[in-house]
């Protein structure tokens, strides 16, 4: 238990959980506010929440993808591959569960289903980015990609789901497949390689 | 100083920001070309719309830049160097601002290359709107740098970026109030409207004040120095908030002036949309020629941007062309949803009969009269709802001499305008 707590503390888990609580409350408030605007199209008005909240969740998770000194950590006799894989899996489950609670009303129309899908995909993308750019910059591709798709994607056709998954509705299988692929690739890569060690230290 | 600038340019996010702004901004602009192509004021307004994404990107990148020294654990070391702190802050801000402003200039130049060859109206005070965009992104760079420097969080950059996006969204789209002018985005613009220079000057002062306050906070040794610029900025913000919302837009009379063909059926366009007039006349010439032979048919057609544009009350036939503008500033025959321009024109030039209580649209037997009239006005068979039998009947009608067609259409216009359903059986009989 003590080792588990030390690992969580080294990866800023308490701060990440606190951040996740703030993101969840903000997502719930923003979704409620958007739905009650005079120009809102019912549950579909939550489109921006469905894109932004998972991005913030993934950014929070990215903080925990590296410790204060990764090189030192890796020199210890622990099964780091297994620990890293379990770490990403638990982080995905916790974030998805938290965001799901904010959109149980009309879950299939920019609601809980899309939040789960996008959280899974964004965490996977952040894990891939952590391996390539380092944990400090892992949020950049996630935020950049989501922003571009959100603006350019418009009302996308289902056959473009492989790249417009952040703005697709939950009944498009291609978007779920894309999310699954991102998460699988991210988890496997991060599990095998860990976050890239960069010169940036601390906050 | 030049050496310092060169080093910052190489080591900062300026080049990345330049590429991100240029590529992201251009992608956004070309995602919705019908909003601006052929119109200088449209370009300026849509560039301001693109700031809804560009400003959060600038905020996030600048915040990342602002936290650089802390991440590299160089902040204490740098605080011991003799170079004045304000100079370091200004150099950093100058380089980041130069990157993002250069990116915006690239976006503008690329888009201007598509506007300049076709634009027929260069007024509308668009340069003021563009200038405010430049001030806004420079201010965003200052605010981002300062927040990144002040907030000791690992996730300061993405949080500031997303908060900036949410803040702009809340200010811009939270209804008609003065608050909307605190945002760099112009959400409620209607084609044919102009923003007075005083409103743009007020916005520029607000963003400049934000930038100066942020830089003072970042560069001054004593934080209370920021009180003066912050108070000034808050005062400007208060003036904006208590002022009008949408009412700041006024009609651009020069843009609404009409350019006309001067034919029997006078096809006119507002000066702003005049670049489409020749294409429109060429595309709809057959219908216009037919109308000119029918006494009682409309004698004037006005084309404008869209249904929200400001129209003159005396224009009987109005066609919104914005949906049909292609990315080079030409006229496309179909819009993105597959609707056809000729169908829209046919509906517009015929008298509306929806308000006629006795007009027997559901009566298929008599509805053939309306369908034939629509086909005559240029509608396609699908849009008019014509089956093979009606099409054959229309073909026989179209084979008649032009004068006979014109007489029948004259009677149709009279009947439709007066909601005279009793005239329909005779009109149908004459089709046989």
């Amino acid at each position: 238990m003590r080792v588990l707590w030390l690992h969580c503390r080294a990866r800023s888990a308490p701060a990440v959980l606190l951040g996740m609580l703030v993101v969840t409350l903000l997502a719930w408030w923003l979704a409620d506010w958007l739905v009650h605007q005079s120009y809102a199209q019912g549950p579909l008005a939550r489109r921006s929440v469905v894109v932004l909240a998972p991005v913030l969740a993934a950014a929070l998770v990215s903080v925990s993808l590296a410790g204060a000194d990764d090189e030192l950590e890796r020199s210890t006799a622990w099964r780091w591959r297994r620990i890293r894989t379990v770490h990403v899996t638990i982080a995905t489950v916790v974030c998805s569960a938290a965001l799901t609670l904010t959109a149980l009303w009309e879950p299939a129309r920019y609601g809980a289903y899309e939040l789960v899908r996008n959280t899974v995909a964004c965490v996977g993308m952040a894990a891939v980015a952590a391996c390539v750019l380092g944990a400090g910059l892992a949020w950049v591709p996630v935020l950049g990609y989501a922003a571009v798709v959100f603006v350019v994607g418009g009302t996308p056709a289902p056959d473009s789901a492989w790249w417009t998954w952040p703005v697709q509705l939950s009944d498009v299988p291609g978007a779920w497949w894309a999310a699954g692929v991102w998460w699988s690739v991210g988890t496997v890569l991060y599990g095998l390689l860990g976050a890239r060690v960069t010169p940036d230290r601390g906050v | 100083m030049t050496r310092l600038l060169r080093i910052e340019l190489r080591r900062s996010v300026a080049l990345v920001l330049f590429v991100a702004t240029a590529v992201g901004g251009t992608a956004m602009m070309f995602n919705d070309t019908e909003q601006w192509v052929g119109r200088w004021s449209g370009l300026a307004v849509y560039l301001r719309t693109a700031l809804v994404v560009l400003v959060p990107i600038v905020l996030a990148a600048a915040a990342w830049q602002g936290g650089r020294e802390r991440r590299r654990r160089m902040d204490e070391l740098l605080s011991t160097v003799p170079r004045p702190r304000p100079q370091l802050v200004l150099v950093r801000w100058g380089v980041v601002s130069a990157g993002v402003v250069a990116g915006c200039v690239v976006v503008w130049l690329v888009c201007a290359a598509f506007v300049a060859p076709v634009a027929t109206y260069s007024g509308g005070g668009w340069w003021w709107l563009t200038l405010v965009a430049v001030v806004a992104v420079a201010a965003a760079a200052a605010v981002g740098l300062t927040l990144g420097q002040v907030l000791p969080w690992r996730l300061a950059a993405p949080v500031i970026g997303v908060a900036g996006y949410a803040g702009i969204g809340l200010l811009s789209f939270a209804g008609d109030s003065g608050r909307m002018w605190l945002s760099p985005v112009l959400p409620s613009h209607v084609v044919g409207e102009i923003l007075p220079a005083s409103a743009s000057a007020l916005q520029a002062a607000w963003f400049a004040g934000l930038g100066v306050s942020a830089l003072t906070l970042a560069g001054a040794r004593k934080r209370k120095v920021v009180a003066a610029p912050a108070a000034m900025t808050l005062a400007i913000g208060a003036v904006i908030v208590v002022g009008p919302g949408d009412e700041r837009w006024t009609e651009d009379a020069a843009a609404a002036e009409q350019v006309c063909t001067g034919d029997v059926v006078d096809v006119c366009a507002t000066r702003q949309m005049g670049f489409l007039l020749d294409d429109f006349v060429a595309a709809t010439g057959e219908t216009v020629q037919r109308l000119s032979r029918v006494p009682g048919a409309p004698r004037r057609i006005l084309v404008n941007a869209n249904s929200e544009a400001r129209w003159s009350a005396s224009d009987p036939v109005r066609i919104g062309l914005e949906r049909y503008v292609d990315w080079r500033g030409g006229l496309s025959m179909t819009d993105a949803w597959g609707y056809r321009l000729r169908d829209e024109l046919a509906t517009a030039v015929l008298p509306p009969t929806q308000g006629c209580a006795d007009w027997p649209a559901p009566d298929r037997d008599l509805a053939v009269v309306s369908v034939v009239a629509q086909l005559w006005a240029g509608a396609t068979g699908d849009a008019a709802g014509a089956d093979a039998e009606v099409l054959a009947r229309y073909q026989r009608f179209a084979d008649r001499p032009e004068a006979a067609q014109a007489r029948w259409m004259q009677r149709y216009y009279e009947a439709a305008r007066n909601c005279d359903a009793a005239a329909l059986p005779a009109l149908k009989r004459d089709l046989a």
Side-chain angles (χ1 to χ4, degrees), chain B residues 13-22 51 54-55 57-59 93-107 133-134 136-141:
Chain B
V13 295
L15 290 178
V16 174
L17 201 49
F18 165 71
V19 174
T21 311
L51 294 187
L54 294 184
V55 164
I57 289 174
V58 175
L59 280 170
W93 168 76
V95 166
V96 173
S97 295
V100 65
V101 170
C104 287
V105 169
V106 168
V107 174
V134 172
V137 291

Side-chain angles (χ1 to χ4, degrees), chain A residues 29 33 39 52 56 59-60 63 66 136-137 139 143 150-152 199-203, chain B residues 28 31 53 60 64 70-73 152-155 157-159 162 165 170 173-174:
Chain A
W29 172 79
W33 184 81
Y39 52 79
L52 283 180
L56 279 176
L60 283 165
V63 171
L137 279 172
W139 57 271
L143 183 63
F150 182 68
V151 172
V152 178
D200 284 349
R201 297 269 191 253
V203 289
Chain B
M28 268 201 77
N31 188 45
V53 170
W64 180 257
R70 190 175 51 247
R71 284 197 308 278
R72 301 290 167 99
R73 295 182 179 169
W153 309 336
R154 278 176 75 170
L155 283 179
V159 168
V162 172
Y165 174 78
L170 288 175
F173 304 105

Side-chain angles (χ1 to χ4, degrees), chain B residues 283-295:
Chain B
T284 59
E286 191 183 349
T287 301
V288 171
Q289 281 293 322
R290 285 179 171 183
L291 286 175
S292 67
R293 290 191 286 269
V294 178

